[in-house]
Structure formats: C-alpha cells, structure tokens
Amino acid sequence: MRGWKRPWGLAVAVSVVVMGCVPDEPEPEPDVWQIVAEDVPGALLSVWGTSRSDVWVVGADARDGQGPTVLHFDGQGWERVATGQTQGDLWWVFGFEDGPIYMGGDGGVILRHQPGDGPGSFTLMDTPGTETVFGIWGASPDDVWAVGGASESAGGFAWRLRGDVWMPEPSVPADVAMGAAIWKMYGASGSDAWAVGSNGVALHWDGSAFTSGDTGVGTSLFTVHERDGHYAAVGGLASGFIVEHDGSGWTNVTPTDVPPMGLSGVSLGPDGTGVAVGLFGAVYVRDDAGWQLADLDEAGTRQNLHGTWIDDEGGFWLAGGQTLSPPFSDGILLHYGGSVPTGGI
C-alpha cells in the first residue's frame, strides 16, 4: 500500500484572514517514513517510550566491551546509554511514565532504571532463573511481569515482581514449562492479560491464574499487544499470522497478501490503528479497513524488523536488524510521522 497515511494525524492548515492582515498559518509537517538509524553494531530488538520525546531502544551486544545496545532519544538527539553490563543481549524494554523502566534479556537478566537517578543508573535485579527474558509488561509499577524461556522448545516461564523480588508464577501449565517458551505478555489490566509463545501457546491471566486459550493458528506467536480492550498478536515462521481478540475469542485476520515470512512485532494505537512487522522488512498497518501492506518508499529495508511501538502522537517506531542467528547485528530503526532527528547514534 503506497504512501500510507494514518487517518488521525494529518492536520489541514487553514488560512484565516481578519481585516486582511493575519498571515496564513504554516503548513503542518507531513508524515513520512524515515530511517532514523542503520548499521548499528547490535541489532535493535525492542522500542518503547513515554512520549515522542522520551524513547528507549534496546538490543544486542555491540561487541565493543560496552555490552548490550541501549539508546535514548530526548526529542532533540540520541545517545547510547551505559547499563553497567559488559556483554549480553537485551530483548525487551517496558516501563512507566514516572518510572521505573525494565529491560530484560539473556541469562535471566532484568535491569531496572529510574529516570530521575540519571541516564546511566541501572540496577541488576535478582531473578529466579537464567533463562532468557523475552518480554516484560506491567499493569502498574506494583504489578509487573517477565516472561521467556530457555529455548523455543523448553523452559517457558512467567515471573511476577513482588516488591523487589521476582517470583515464578505457579499456574503456568507444566507442558509450557517443559516444552515451550513464552515470548511476550500484555494486558488491559491486572486481571486481564494474555501471554503468547511457541508451539501455539496462548495463556490468559484473570488476576488469579493462567488458563490455556486457543488462537486458532497453532503456531508460534511472538508478540501480543492491547488497546482499549482489543488484542492483537502476530507470529508464524514460514507464513505470517495476525490474530485479534475482541473479548469473545480469537479471530484470524491475516491479510491475503502476507508473503511467506513470519511476523514478530505488533502495536495497537488510537482509533483502531496499528502496526505489525516481520522478516525482510515486512510492515503492515491497521485502519478501519483492517491490516494492509505498507510501502515505505525510500525507507524500505530488507532487514528483519522485530519490535514496534506507537508514541503519544501516533507515530510508528520499528526496530530490527540481523535477528535470525547470533551474533545479532546491523541494527536499524525506522519511524513514521513527523521527521525525527538522527544525530548521536
């Protein structure tokens, strides 16, 4: 779909003339697809923020002795932020407007950062295992989850933060812990959340326990997201899938033109919008007509896209790189919306 424009974000400049002396208002900046960064040494795996002027991107080990890639954008420019870790990949970032921010990755690593403590202040938290943390989500700063696994076929877990202590959730089904990974978790509240994983795993959290659900696709779903009580999840290996949950059950809404490639990231935005990404630069956008393939024009890439986020102005952020086999490299960050400065990366 060429030159896709989100329906909610385009203002129209109106010329107002009062007694012939008021000048025309300036034209608004057009929304464009943009490559914000490319050829970053470590692949960029996840992006999240509190606003368009407070964006965090995390990713793979840059192999320069400074450990995992962590980038921060303050609305003016970018900087790489030291975490205190000298090696390892970070797979996910999630936090809260007033903090804290959590980053999870290899070896059971979870880092906690409180923005008011300075850009380089990170606490390495104690965790109950060494499996990879692939996803973090919380309904509130007092109700935070981390999920992951040892591999796609073993060690699936969900840890819940109790105070400063991460505790395994005992209601994770035994077959998940033995034969799958939980890739991501996201919810509408502390009593309504979904976790998705390999081998068709879909678990609903009702505030007391996980129960198994069925998305209808029977394959790995890599990411789930929620907006206004509506869920979307994406995945697939040889073929990509998009499923949605409207409160009554999961429905396969995959467009007919999805190429033979998996999808790995999804975010939902206001007014029924959304963005999903996957292998070899695949990008799908959602509006009232459903999911449609986007044409990124000159910002198009053949790199894999892994993580997404939609900011407070409705802008799309897409993170990726060489993500199929370690070492994960060649990070890329794309944006759709008003132009974003690129300096400092």
Side-chain angles (χ1 to χ4, degrees), residues 48-55 73 309 311-313 317:
W48 173 89
T50 65
S51 71
R52 189 181 186 272
S53 58
D54 179 27
V55 182
F73 177 63
W309 176 64
D311 65 32
D312 59 328
E313 297 183 11
W317 298 80

Side-chain angles (χ1 to χ4, degrees), residues 7 12 35 50 72 75 77-78 87 105 112 151 153 161 164 171 199 246-247 249 268 291-292 298 300 302 312 345:
V12 178
I35 297 177
T50 65
H72 181 250
W78 293 85
Q87 61 183 359
R112 182 173 59 195
S151 69
S153 58
L161 188 60
D164 288 332
S171 66
N199 301 324
D246 62 1
L268 297 176
W291 293 93
Q292 303 167 64
E298 294 182 0
R302 294 294 294 171
D312 59 328
I345 300 180

Side-chain angles (χ1 to χ4, degrees), residues 80-147:
R80 184 174 176 191
V81 180
T83 65
Q85 305 301 299
T86 59
Q87 61 183 359
D89 304 327
L90 290 175
W91 286 90
W92 210 245
V93 55
F94 180 86
F96 303 91
E97 185 172 359
D98 296 321
I101 299 168
Y102 295 94
M103 304 173 185
D106 291 350
V109 164
I110 297 179
L111 303 175
R112 182 173 59 195
H113 171 62
Q114 185 65 39
D117 294 341
S121 177
F122 291 80
T123 299
L124 176 63
M125 305 185 74
D126 290 332
T127 60
T130 58
E131 301 87 351
T132 300
V133 176
F134 287 112
I136 298 175
W137 169 79
S140 70
D142 297 322
D143 188 5
V144 185
W145 293 82
V147 297

Side-chain angles (χ1 to χ4, degrees), residues 1-5 33 295-297 336:
M1 182 176 180
R2 188 169 186 79
W4 181 83
K5 300 293 182 182
W33 286 104
D295 185 339
L296 278 59
D297 298 317
Y336 177 81

Side-chain angles (χ1 to χ4, degrees), residues 19-321:
M19 301 299 292
C21 61
V22 178
D24 291 347
E25 294 181 7
E27 290 286 339
E29 185 179 6
D31 291 335
V32 296
W33 286 104
Q34 175 188 6
I35 297 177
V36 179
E38 59 184 335
D39 299 325
V40 178
L44 304 179
L45 301 172
S46 176
V47 53
W48 173 89
T50 65
S51 71
R52 189 181 186 272
S53 58
D54 179 27
V55 182
W56 290 88
V57 185
V58 304
D61 194 326
R63 302 175 304 284
D64 59 359
Q66 300 183 57
T69 303
V70 175
L71 306 174
H72 181 250
F73 177 63
D74 64 1
Q76 302 297 318
W78 293 85
E79 68 170 330
R80 184 174 176 191
V81 180
T83 65
Q85 305 301 299
T86 59
Q87 61 183 359
D89 304 327
L90 290 175
W91 286 90
W92 210 245
V93 55
F94 180 86
F96 303 91
E97 185 172 359
D98 296 321
I101 299 168
Y102 295 94
M103 304 173 185
D106 291 350
V109 164
I110 297 179
L111 303 175
R112 182 173 59 195
H113 171 62
Q114 185 65 39
D117 294 341
S121 177
F122 291 80
T123 299
L124 176 63
M125 305 185 74
D126 290 332
T127 60
T130 58
E131 301 87 351
T132 300
V133 176
F134 287 112
I136 298 175
W137 169 79
S140 70
D142 297 322
D143 188 5
V144 185
W145 293 82
V147 297
S151 69
E152 67 175 342
S153 58
F157 68 84
W159 302 334
R160 196 174 187 187
L161 188 60
R162 300 293 195 181
D164 288 332
V165 180
W166 291 96
M167 302 289 292
E169 169 51 44
S171 66
V172 172
D175 60 337
V176 174
M178 293 295 294
I182 301 177
W183 301 126
K184 300 294 183 296
M185 181 173 175
Y186 208 96
S189 70
S191 59
D192 178 17
W194 281 91
V196 298
S198 58
N199 301 324
V201 166
L203 304 174
H204 183 253
W205 173 257
D206 65 3
S208 299
F210 282 112
T211 56
S212 296
D214 183 5
T215 61
V217 296
T219 188
S220 187
L221 290 172
F222 293 109
T223 304
V224 60
H225 199 260
E226 178 274 342
R227 180 73 180 235
D228 300 327
H230 189 94
Y231 287 85
V234 299
L237 298 172
S239 297
F241 291 97
I242 305 176
V243 295
E244 295 185 358
H245 194 293
D246 62 1
S248 60
W250 289 98
T251 302
N252 189 338
V253 296
T254 310
T256 58
D257 61 347
V258 169
M261 60 184 64
L263 298 176
S264 55
V266 65
S267 294
L268 297 176
D271 302 322
T273 58
V275 60
V277 300
L279 297 177
F280 309 116
V283 178
Y284 286 82
V285 294
R286 188 184 192 277
D287 58 20
D288 291 338
W291 293 93
Q292 303 167 64
L293 184 65
D295 185 339
L296 278 59
D297 298 317
E298 294 182 0
T301 179
R302 294 294 294 171
Q303 287 283 22
N304 302 325
L305 297 174
H306 188 269
T308 68
W309 176 64
I310 300 178
D311 65 32
D312 59 328
E313 297 183 11
F316 296 161
W317 298 80
L318 320 177

